[in-house]
Amino acid sequence: FFFFFFFFFFFSPASALLEVLDPEQNTTFQDHYLDVDYDLSQVLFVATANVMHTIPAALQDRMEVLRLQGYTEQEKLEIARQYLVKKQREQTGLSEKNISFTDDAILEIIRYYTREAGVRNLEREIGNLCRKVARKVVKSGSKHREELTAANIHEFLGVARYRDSEVHEKSEIGLVTGLAWTEVGGSILTTEVQVLDGKGKLTITGQLGDVMQESAQAALSYIRGKAQALGLTREFYRNVDLHLHVPEGAIPKDGPSAGITMATALASALAKIPVRRDIAMTGEITLRGKVLAIGGLKEKLLAALRAGIFEAILPRANEKDVAELPDNIKKSMKLHFVDQMDEVLALALESPLQALLPAETDSLAAVAPVDITGNLPARQ
């Protein structure tokens, strides 16, 4: 039954699940291949997904969603040491005398040869290594021994398939390190802004999704509203164009957590003050500068730690999530929790902003109306 069920709805599993999960229909669900009614009211369906946004809202409403976080790097290391290496070694007929893995070798595989939330590809790569060593054992004899380390792992697996984004070498103007969440874990995301001569145009590149493009527009509106506090004239945008770019343009990027990163990059480029290279940040921004909560905190901070960043700026609303962070993050990183964008700029910029005194021409004070009626009584 389930074979035909899957085959019939292969191109639209969501439609099938919508029907079988509806309590008004699942007691008489009809298999269109056998033309037989089935009672599915007591059947439990378990489905897995990497992302939620591809699941129709109507189907999500009929499901109980359990969110399982991906394994951390340290958790993957322990799983490999205790289970995966032993399993693959036995399947290839090797003994502990024939092959051994150092912790650095396993970490090298995790970082540069796999990119996943689980350990399926990690197990596949370990099995690949075991088979290559088994071939050497067959050729050289049962006493052949191979110790796999970070230095020689590339001889068996070839050139690294993945690389982590690197932190820029020095603090620069308009260059900010943000933190991003992906389906396979966290990563650092560099945001850069260039100021050009122009007429107030904002150009956004880097294959950003709709949410991130809106974040960029909101960040610019915040900067314009706080122009004098940032040391800018009220009309600064009339003579410049701004180009905001997130590198690695071939990779689509989206999500509501880059607002403060973009606002910091814009403020730095316009005020000509460098941003600290040793600090990362994540959080969304409102037009009034309030910093909003984000998701994927653990994965983002682990990415910062891998990149050698030990200080991060986070929304105050995420302070409650610290209890769920691994101990190595709590001990190694300095976390700043903020409510307002002003606090972000104070922490991220290498020198404080110098506010401009309001000029008379920039004053928003109301001007008394001129009486041009010759003191005629006003109309009621």
Side-chain angles (χ1 to χ4, degrees):
F1 162 74
F2 286 103
F3 170 78
F4 295 124
F5 171 80
F6 177 77
F7 179 81
F8 182 80
F9 287 105
F10 179 78
F11 293 102
S12 183
S15 300
L17 285 173
L18 269 173
E19 188 172 347
V20 301
L21 296 179
D22 189 337
E24 302 298 327
Q25 300 183 53
N26 61 12
T27 55
T28 57
F29 178 80
Q30 187 178 53
D31 186 310
H32 294 279
Y33 185 84
L34 299 177
D35 199 25
V36 175
D37 288 342
Y38 286 88
D39 181 2
L40 300 178
S41 60
Q42 302 302 313
V43 176
L44 175 65
F45 290 87
V46 180
T48 61
N50 289 327
V51 293
M52 290 287 292
H53 64 263
T54 57
I55 302 174
L59 181 56
Q60 289 189 38
D61 186 55
R62 288 170 168 80
M63 304 173 76
E64 184 72 25
V65 179
L66 303 177
R67 300 181 184 274
L68 304 177
Q69 295 181 335
Y71 294 124
T72 65
E73 193 175 87
Q74 194 61 34
E75 289 168 343
K76 289 181 181 180
L77 174 61
E78 290 300 324
I79 291 171
R81 288 169 57 185
Q82 298 182 36
Y83 302 104
L84 302 183
V85 170
K86 181 180 178 181
K87 177 182 176 181
Q88 292 300 320
R89 191 167 54 209
E90 292 175 351
Q91 287 185 356
T92 50
L94 298 173
S95 66
E96 294 184 15
K97 296 180 180 179
N98 297 130
I99 185 172
S100 62
F101 290 79
T102 65
D103 287 353
D104 288 340
I106 298 174
L107 288 173
E108 192 80 4
I109 301 172
I110 293 170
R111 291 171 180 169
Y112 304 113
Y113 293 92
T114 64
R115 188 61 60 89
E116 57 184 343
V119 292
R120 183 183 292 116
N121 288 324
L122 175 59
E123 182 177 7
R124 184 180 293 119
E125 295 300 336
I126 292 174
N128 187 14
L129 288 166
C130 289
R131 287 189 293 274
K132 290 183 177 181
V133 172
R135 185 180 178 182
K136 288 189 174 184
V137 171
V138 171
K139 288 184 175 180
S140 304
S142 59
K143 293 185 178 180
H144 180 81
R145 174 176 175 78
E146 197 79 48
E147 182 182 26
L148 298 175
T149 65
N152 66 8
I153 202 79
H154 67 278
E155 297 175 10
F156 295 88
L157 296 181
V159 179
R161 300 190 187 98
Y162 306 98
R163 63 177 180 83
D164 287 328
S165 299
E166 297 181 355
V167 181
H168 34 282
E169 296 181 355
K170 62 179 182 178
S171 300
E172 296 185 36
I173 294 172
L175 187 61
V176 185
T177 302
L179 298 174
W181 179 90
T182 68
E183 293 87 347
V184 296
S187 65
I188 64 172
L189 203 62
T190 301
T191 300
E192 54 189 13
V193 170
Q194 185 71 41
V195 180
L196 309 165
D197 292 335
K199 297 181 179 180
K201 180 183 177 182
L202 174 63
T203 302
I204 303 170
T205 57
Q207 204 169 340
L208 306 186
D210 292 340
V211 176
M212 287 188 73
Q213 291 195 38
E214 291 177 359
S215 295
Q217 296 287 351
L220 179 57
S221 294
Y222 165 79
I223 296 296
R224 287 177 59 181
K226 299 279 290 184
Q228 290 184 339
L230 299 176
L232 305 172
T233 63
R234 297 181 66 86
E235 306 294 328
F236 76 90
Y237 60 91
R238 293 187 181 276
N239 301 316
V240 298
D241 284 348
L242 297 169
H243 187 162
L244 187 150
H245 178 64
V246 181
E248 299 184 37
I251 302 173
K253 314 169 190 71
D254 204 5
S257 63
I260 67 171
T261 307
M262 294 176 173
T264 302
L266 288 166
S268 169
L270 291 166
K272 295 181 172 52
I273 300 176
V275 181
R276 291 170 53 193
R277 63 173 295 277
D278 59 345
I279 195 167
M281 62 185 70
T282 178
E284 194 49 274
I285 187 177
T286 69
L287 293 178
R288 289 168 175 78
K290 184 174 177 58
V291 181
L292 304 181
I294 49 88
L297 182 62
K298 181 179 78 170
E299 289 83 357
K300 291 178 178 180
L301 293 179
L302 285 170
L305 207 56
R306 281 200 308 271
I309 299 175
F310 301 97
E311 201 167 343
I313 302 173
L314 308 170
R316 178 80 62 187
N318 287 104
E319 196 167 6
K320 63 182 186 305
D321 300 325
V322 172
E324 300 177 2
L325 296 177
D327 290 337
N328 63 323
I329 291 181
K330 296 178 185 177
K331 294 177 181 178
S332 304
M333 296 196 68
K334 184 177 182 180
L335 307 179
H336 303 277
F337 293 96
V338 299
D339 292 306
Q340 296 290 330
M341 190 63 208
D342 293 343
E343 301 173 67
V344 177
L345 296 176
L347 290 165
L349 299 181
E350 288 199 334
S351 59
L353 293 164
Q354 300 295 327
L356 291 181
L357 295 176
E360 292 183 4
T361 56
D362 292 336
S363 177
L364 295 179
V367 179
V370 178
D371 184 0
I372 60 173
T373 62
N375 295 324
L376 291 176
R379 290 184 179 180
Q380 299 297 326

